[in-house]
């Protein structure tokens, strides 16, 4: 489970840990998150532009659940007029440290601090699953202009890669739950149970090569580990290091990701 993995959705899911505790766990590990989480490939933003029917350059965008700004900075680099929205104290502080020139406000997807019809694009990178779709869907429709788009995406484990599948099985055994199956549960029905949005689904594969320490720190920055306590997490990561050194004896890990994208457009005004 090496990637910036999908966390199970809040609504209707069974998780081995308290959802609220997991949602807040990142604030104490914001620097670790910023330093070791993977980015997103340029191809993702090409697909977003294609499906949304407009370039990011010049678009008014809000990145919700922006965290430390991984996606926000990439949207800005593509020329978007982007505003970050983040609920967590620690994550927002890290965002301001890393991106002092990018605007950020406090808020969450269930109650957006944004004006009606003010946006061309609303994005959620690794964040929609922390919302309540019954509230977040109407909020998204409220703040998007006619013809605007809502884009949700997640870096997910490429489980067809043997070593990644084996690592996911070890995590499942550690937590006594099928977390790898939950991470695959990314679809329009989960994201929008009412099917009001009509999401289009795309998958973009990419990879990065990182030192083993970076890989393990990335793994440890996920909420399922952050809420386990340092001693238990450290013990698992020490054992995982030995497993991975058998696969990557030079200490460089090739992580393979599938970015799962869901995008929906708001009908244009008649």
């Amino acid at each position: 489970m090496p990637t910036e993995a999908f966390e199970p959705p809040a609504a209707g899911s069974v998780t081995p840990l308290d959802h609220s505790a997991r949602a807040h766990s990142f604030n104490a590990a914001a620097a670790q998150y910023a330093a070791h989480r993977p980015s997103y490939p340029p191809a993702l933003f090409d697909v977003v532009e294609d499906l949304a029917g407009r370039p990011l350059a010049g678009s008014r965008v809000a990145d919700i659940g922006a965290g430390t700004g991984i996606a926000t900075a990439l949207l800005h680099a593509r020329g978007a007029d982007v505003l970050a929205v983040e609920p967590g104290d620690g994550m927002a502080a890290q965002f301001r440290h890393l991106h002092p020139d990018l605007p950020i406000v406090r808020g969450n997807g269930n109650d957006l601090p944004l004006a009606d019809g003010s946006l061309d694009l609303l994005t959620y990178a690794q964040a929609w699953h922390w919302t309540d779709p019954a509230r977040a869907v109407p909020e998204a429709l409220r703040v998007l202009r006619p013809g605007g788009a809502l884009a949700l995406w997640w870096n997910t484990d490429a489980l067809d890669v043997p070593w990644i599948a084996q690592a996911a099985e070890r995590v499942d055994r550690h937590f006594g739950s099928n977390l790898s199956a939950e991470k695959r549960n990314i679809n329009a029905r989960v994201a929008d149970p009412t099917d009001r949005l009509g999401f289009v689904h795309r998958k973009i594969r990419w990879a990065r090569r990182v030192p083993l320490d970076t890989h393990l720190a990335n793994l440890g920055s996920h909420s399922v580990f952050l809420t386990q306590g340092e001693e238990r997490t450290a013990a698992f990561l020490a054992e995982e290091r030995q497993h991975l050194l058998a696969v990557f004896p030079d200490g460089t890990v090739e992580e393979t990701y599938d970015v799962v994208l869901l995008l929906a457009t708001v009908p244009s005004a008649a």
Side-chain angles (χ1 to χ4, degrees), residues 88-140:
D89 292 340
M91 298 294 263
Q94 188 69 20
F95 182 104
R96 292 188 181 100
H97 173 70
L98 295 172
H99 310 290
D101 297 328
L102 295 182
I104 181 170
V105 297
R106 304 299 297 279
N108 66 76
N110 295 330
D111 186 16
L112 293 170
L114 304 168
D116 295 0
S118 60
L119 297 172
D120 299 308
L121 178 66
L122 195 64
T123 63
Y124 286 78
Q126 313 291 136
W128 183 259
H129 49 278
W130 298 121
T131 70
D132 175 2
R135 299 171 63 190
V137 169
E139 278 292 271

Side-chain angles (χ1 to χ4, degrees), residues 128-210:
W128 183 259
H129 49 278
W130 298 121
T131 70
D132 175 2
R135 299 171 63 190
V137 169
E139 278 292 271
L141 293 172
R142 178 182 66 79
V143 303
L144 286 168
R145 64 165 182 80
L150 170 65
L152 324 175
W153 66 79
W154 295 265
N155 267 324
T156 67
D157 303 315
L159 292 174
D160 59 325
V161 177
W163 80 264
I164 293 176
Q166 293 162 10
E169 291 174 359
R170 290 192 292 270
V171 172
D172 287 346
R173 288 196 299 270
H174 177 74
F175 288 105
S177 180
N178 196 353
L179 288 173
S180 56
E182 290 180 343
K183 297 185 191 78
R184 294 193 299 272
N185 190 27
I186 303 174
N187 56 60
R189 179 61 65 185
V190 170
D192 175 23
T194 64
D195 198 27
R196 294 178 62 184
L197 296 173
F199 281 114
V200 175
H201 177 278
R202 295 288 187 274
K203 185 181 291 186
I204 302 99
R205 176 157 291 195
W206 72 290
R208 70 171 187 170
R209 291 173 59 83
V210 296

Side-chain angles (χ1 to χ4, degrees), residues 33 63-72 83-87 91 95 104 125 127:
Y33 189 109
D63 185 32
I64 314 303
T68 62
I70 295 172
T72 313
L83 169 70
V85 178
E86 167 57 38
M91 298 294 263
F95 182 104
I104 181 170

